[in-house]
Each structure stands twice: as C-alpha cells, then as structure tokens.
Amino acid sequence: MKTTASEFAKLTKYFLNIESANYLYYLYSDPRRYYHNIDHIVDGFTLISGLSDKVSCENWLVLNYAWLGHDLIYIPSCLKNEELSYTFFHKLILTSRNLSHRETDLIASSILATRHLDLTTNTVEQYICDVDLFGFVTGFDASNDIFKEYQAFDPDLTWENFKIGRHNFLENLLKTRNNVIFQSKEFSHLNFIAIKNIKKQIQTLTT
C-alpha cells in the first residue's frame, strides 16, 4: 500500500522540514515509478531504523540522508542516475543543513555506491547497498515493475529486449561481486537466500 504524504513527513521529521518532505514525496510518487518509488524509500527506512545502534550519530545522519537522496533522479537506461541524484539532493536539501565536508562527501559516495558496481569497505556504503538490495531476500521479483518504468520512457521497448538487459544485470551483479550481495556483517547471513533468489530470477528471464 502506498505511503501517504503525512506518513512520510512523520517518518522523516528528524531529517526534513515539512516542505522538503512533501517535495521529496511528490518526486518519489511520480506515477512512472513502479519500483523506485516512495514505498521503496519507506521500506528502506524501516530497515535502516534497525541499524541505529550500529553506527555513530554522525554516520546515522549520513546514512539516512544518503538513503533519502539515492533514487531522487531515476531515468531508466541513464548511466548517471546516482550522480544526478546526489547533485540535485545536495542543492535541494544538503546546502541548507549544517553538515561537514566529511559528511557530504560520505553522502555522495554512499549514493554512488548504489550503482552496485563494486564492493566497498566503508560501513555506511555497505549498509545503504545492503538495504537497496534487500528485495532479493524477500523473493519478490521486481523485473515486471522495472520493465514498466522503462516502458514509461520508451513505449517501444519490448519485454524480450528488456529481459536481455535485466538478465545481464543480474548475472553481472553476481559475477563482479563474486557472489557477495550483502556486505555488512548485519546482513551477510542473508547472502545465500539472495543468491538463490537472483539465480531463480535469471532462470525465469531465460524462459
């Protein structure tokens, strides 16, 4: 069920004022977003809330801001969504916050880490990546929703062509990360389940 604007504002009240919360809610509620939407952000916040005793207060702030901004710009097939998201989020939110250069740099690197191209040794980056990929644990296959997002920008895209790209992404995710999906010690015990579900999705995409 879609999160309401008032629920989102309440959830983010320690990080955003009401105007900023409402604007981010508007952006994440774009009807062309079927997966990278407000519910994805809220689901992540639920997971992040369980990490509050695992990080310092400074890194806790960084983790929450990075999560809020990591999908702010989402244009399917664009290779710079994360860079654009950080740039926009920095201008929209971070410039009005009293954050150190270290904090803004870590927010930037954490958002860029959600490209999931490489593993990282930074704890905050590990957490945001793990939260972003948590859907693989639930067994939910986001392929159909992501296909709808692609079609919203490219109505001529066929399911068959999309399947090729999605298949390659999932295979590369396993290969480039050496079958490591979850990097933090809090989530690493879920690797077996995630890998099993990813391989199942790959198999489905080949049929």
Side-chain angles (χ1 to χ4, degrees):
M1 181 179 293
K2 183 180 178 181
T3 305
T4 66
S6 60
E7 290 170 339
F8 182 68
K10 183 177 180 180
L11 183 68
T12 59
K13 64 182 180 180
Y14 296 113
F15 310 102
L16 303 172
N17 58 38
I18 188 65
E19 292 81 8
S20 297
N22 285 339
Y23 188 53
L24 260 64
Y25 180 85
Y26 165 76
L27 293 174
Y28 279 120
S29 298
D30 186 320
R32 295 172 296 180
R33 290 177 180 255
Y34 292 88
Y35 179 76
H36 299 88
N37 55 24
I38 192 65
D39 287 334
H40 174 57
I41 298 301
V42 171
D43 287 345
F45 258 105
T46 301
L47 291 171
I48 289 172
S49 67
L51 301 170
S52 59
D53 62 338
K54 308 296 182 183
V55 297
S56 66
C57 292
E58 183 182 56
N59 283 347
W60 173 248
L61 188 67
V62 167
L63 179 57
N64 280 277
Y65 275 131
W67 181 253
L68 276 172
H70 84 285
D71 276 336
L72 201 55
I73 302 296
Y74 180 71
I75 304 171
S77 73
C78 176
L79 300 179
K80 294 186 176 182
N81 281 320
E82 291 77 16
E83 291 94 329
L84 294 172
S85 291
Y86 173 73
T87 299
F88 186 38
F89 189 66
H90 184 273
K91 181 178 180 180
L92 183 68
I93 303 294
L94 299 182
T95 53
S96 62
R97 302 299 188 270
N98 187 27
L99 299 173
S100 67
H101 288 301
R102 176 201 169 275
E103 289 172 314
T104 54
D105 286 348
L106 186 50
I107 291 170
S109 66
S110 297
I111 289 176
L112 293 180
T114 62
R115 292 177 295 183
H116 304 296
L117 299 177
D118 304 294
L119 299 177
T120 176
T121 58
N122 181 278
T123 303
V124 175
E125 293 174 4
Q126 288 179 346
Y127 282 145
I128 192 172
C129 288
D130 289 355
V131 168
D132 199 31
L133 296 176
F134 192 79
F136 289 124
V137 174
T138 66
F140 172 71
D141 189 343
S143 297
N144 287 328
D145 286 342
I146 295 174
F147 173 57
K148 292 177 184 177
E149 291 178 332
Y150 272 76
Q151 271 208 321
F153 286 83
D154 182 7
D156 294 327
L157 178 68
T158 66
W159 171 247
E160 292 302 317
N161 286 336
F162 170 80
K163 284 201 304 181
I164 296 172
R166 182 66 176 170
H167 177 276
N168 291 341
F169 167 77
L170 294 175
E171 281 206 327
N172 287 335
L173 186 65
L174 294 177
K175 182 178 180 180
T176 60
R177 298 160 67 99
N178 197 27
N179 286 332
V180 176
I181 303 304
F182 297 112
Q183 305 172 70
S184 69
K185 61 182 180 180
E186 285 75 19
F187 289 89
S188 61
H189 66 285
L190 298 171
N191 266 312
F192 176 78
I193 299 173
I195 292 170
K196 179 181 178 181
N197 286 331
I198 291 172
K199 288 182 176 179
K200 182 179 179 180
Q201 290 183 27
I202 290 173
Q203 181 63 36
T204 300
L205 290 168
T206 60
T207 59

